[in-house]
Amino acid sequence: MTSTTSSPTRTERLDRLPFTRRHARLLGGSGIGWALDAMDVGLISFVLVALGEQWGLSDSEKGWVGSVGFVGMALGASLGGLLADRVGRRQVFALTLLVYGLATGASALSVGLGMLLALRFLVGLGLGAELPVASTLVSEYAPRAIRGRVVVALEAFWALGWVLSALIGYFVIPTGEAGWRWALALGAVPAVYALVVRLGLPESVRFLEARGRHAEAEDAVRRFEESAGDPAPADGSGPDVGRRTGTGAPVAGPQQGTVSIWSRPLRRRTAALWVVWFCINLSYYGAFLWLPSLLRDNGFTMVQSFGYTLVITLAQLPGYAAAAWLIEVWGRRATLATFLLGSAVAAFLFGTADSTSAVLGFGMLLSFFNLGAWGALYAVGPELYPTTVRGTGAGAAAAFGRVASILAPLVVPPLVGLGGNPAVFAVFGAAFALAAAAAFALPELKGRAITE
């Protein structure tokens, strides 16, 4: 019998590969779904302005339209993570795209507030489940040396989606009374894309191994090795869980026990991650979902407010680029904390802006730092947990963050009443600062293998 105890595991074989065309395909396939998600979230901020005028919605009612989607996202994030650990990343990714794509398209036919609220809940259910699943799948395939950078690149597709929503908002919604309906109808695109995702993306190797599906896991690894021009192991098969039979056939050893994300080794990082998720959700969605409406209420026309929001949104792209570079230079923790602190400063400055140039300048600064922080956060999350609870850990943190997303659209109107924009963005700036402090409690995992 030939010993294979020194043979690299499949995950080690993936970790040592260079970035290949298959990695690019996985990143692009997941990223397009990610961008479509962002387009949907962004669109509602512009739709609210139009509905406020056409349906005569109060600020409170507009707040509920924004919040009900996040109620669905909170449930979806938790359920999506659990399902991803049980039935697989790819299947859940495709299902969630289908659910929220169809619901978004149907919401274009809304005839009243009640119907719109019900459909926005379904949209959030699908959207919330998709985000942590996509980042987990990409993280598990990314080469170790550039894993953080690859996940930030995935998150950068969010900026593309927001830019697309701003373009639709600027060019489509102001065209007439049905403009907002056409804008939402475009959100049905993910329903078509779901089929592409299901057929084209690989399943997680770690998930397949944990379920004893070793032949499928080996085939997935081989495909990436072939893309890199890397020959298969000399024995013709990769190790499974470090054990083989005397005949060399793979043996599905006992699955690793599922630990709790609140167990002693994980509780500190879980608590810190939840604080970061809560604070960044509160500030981001509170600011950006209301941004077109706040600009409109401050005397700008609908077209002007949409145009300024588009310019501010464009600053997300260099924010992601900077975070993608720094996360492998400074590390995860330092990059996340720095961009959160930058967001805090930018929020305070934006709240005091008293001219068009200041609104644009400080708004772009907020957009730059805030979305760079999001990129770093999605890179950090999947690395914190072992395979058996990776989807659960990332999904639970996202679900807790969605509680803040639910509150964010509702707290803006009373804050505006208390102290105007300065009060709104002072609260958001303080939340960013608290998130930065919590980020320092996370472990630094730059360059380390993902825990099995």
Side-chain angles (χ1 to χ4, degrees):
M1 179 177 68
T2 302
S3 174
T4 60
T5 56
S6 62
S7 299
T9 64
R10 293 193 183 99
T11 54
E12 289 171 341
R13 287 158 58 192
L14 285 174
D15 275 347
R16 71 187 184 187
L17 291 177
F19 190 82
T20 68
R21 293 173 65 181
R22 282 200 172 271
H23 289 104
R25 188 180 306 170
L26 172 61
L27 177 61
S30 301
I32 292 174
W34 201 281
L36 293 171
D37 292 354
M39 183 185 75
D40 177 85
V41 174
L43 275 177
I44 200 65
S45 67
F46 298 96
V47 168
L48 286 175
V49 178
L51 290 181
E53 297 183 1
Q54 290 184 30
W55 288 4
L57 298 183
S58 66
D59 285 346
S60 176
E61 288 172 327
K62 288 192 289 185
W64 277 109
V65 173
S67 289
V68 73
F70 294 116
V71 175
M73 289 177 74
L75 294 175
S78 182
L79 292 174
L82 289 170
L83 286 174
D85 287 334
R86 285 162 175 75
V87 303
R89 295 12 172 175
R90 183 178 61 179
Q91 285 84 344
V92 175
F93 188 22
L95 177 62
T96 56
L97 282 169
L98 185 64
V99 169
Y100 98 81
L102 291 175
T104 299
S107 64
L109 304 175
S110 297
V111 295
L113 182 60
M115 181 178 177
L116 181 62
L117 289 173
L119 288 169
R120 290 304 302 172
F121 173 80
L122 292 178
V123 169
L125 195 65
L127 177 60
E130 187 273 328
L131 294 176
V133 173
S135 61
T136 296
L137 180 62
V138 171
S139 180
E140 289 181 336
Y141 269 101
R144 183 195 304 181
I146 57 170
R147 181 179 298 118
R149 191 164 293 166
V150 171
V151 177
V152 176
L154 169 67
E155 171 66 5
F157 280 88
W158 185 268
L160 295 177
W162 261 92
V163 170
L164 183 58
S165 73
L167 288 170
I168 294 172
Y170 184 75
F171 288 107
V172 177
I173 293 180
T175 58
E177 290 191 1
W180 66 271
R181 296 185 186 275
W182 286 111
L184 289 177
L186 292 173
V189 172
V192 178
Y193 184 66
L195 180 60
V196 178
V197 171
R198 179 64 178 84
L199 297 176
L201 296 185
E203 182 54 88
S204 163
V205 170
R206 291 169 172 85
F207 169 80
L208 292 173
E209 287 188 328
R211 290 294 179 269
R213 294 158 59 181
H214 300 295
E216 295 175 66
E218 180 64 22
D219 181 65
V221 174
R222 290 281 185 86
R223 290 176 184 273
F224 276 79
E225 288 176 331
E226 290 169 1
S227 180
D230 194 7
D235 63 2
S237 176
D240 298 313
V241 287
R243 305 194 304 123
R244 304 179 72 86
T245 65
T247 61
V251 174
Q255 292 186 16
Q256 183 183 25
T258 300
V259 299
S260 168
I261 61 174
W262 291 104
S263 62
R264 184 176 296 276
L266 300 177
R267 67 179 59 163
R268 176 185 171 91
R269 63 187 64 183
T270 295
L273 186 65
W274 282 33
V275 170
V276 175
W277 265 97
F278 186 92
C279 292
I280 197 172
N281 270 276
L282 180 71
S283 301
Y284 173 74
Y285 288 109
F288 284 93
L289 275 182
W290 276 100
L291 184 58
S293 295
L294 291 175
L295 292 174
R296 182 74 176 89
D297 293 342
N298 278 272
F300 297 106
T301 67
M302 179 188 292
V303 174
Q304 285 176 325
S305 65
F306 287 2
Y308 294 156
T309 302
L310 172 59
V311 172
I312 290 171
T313 300
L314 288 171
Q316 296 180 11
L317 295 172
Y320 281 124
W325 179 68
L326 290 171
I327 203 163
E328 300 295 357
V329 177
W330 288 356
R332 279 71 163 137
R333 184 170 54 193
T335 301
L336 177 59
T338 298
F339 276 82
L340 286 169
L341 286 173
S343 299
V345 172
F348 284 115
L349 292 174
F350 185 78
T352 62
D354 56 1
S355 67
T356 300
S357 59
V359 166
L360 289 176
F362 295 143
M364 293 174 70
L365 197 66
L366 176 60
S367 192
F368 174 90
F369 280 110
N370 194 185
L371 277 296
W374 272 112
L377 178 59
Y378 271 103
V380 167
E383 294 183 341
L384 296 176
Y385 299 101
T387 298
T388 54
V389 292
R390 184 166 299 121
T392 301
F400 185 69
R402 297 308 172 198
V403 175
S405 304
I406 297 167
L407 297 175
L410 300 176
V411 302
V412 170
L415 286 175
V416 170
L418 287 174
N421 284 356
V424 172
F425 287 93
V427 170
F428 294 156
F432 279 131
L434 177 59
F440 283 109
L442 295 170
E444 177 53 65
L445 299 175
K446 172 190 170 185
R448 298 188 188 180
I450 291 181
T451 306
E452 298 304 319

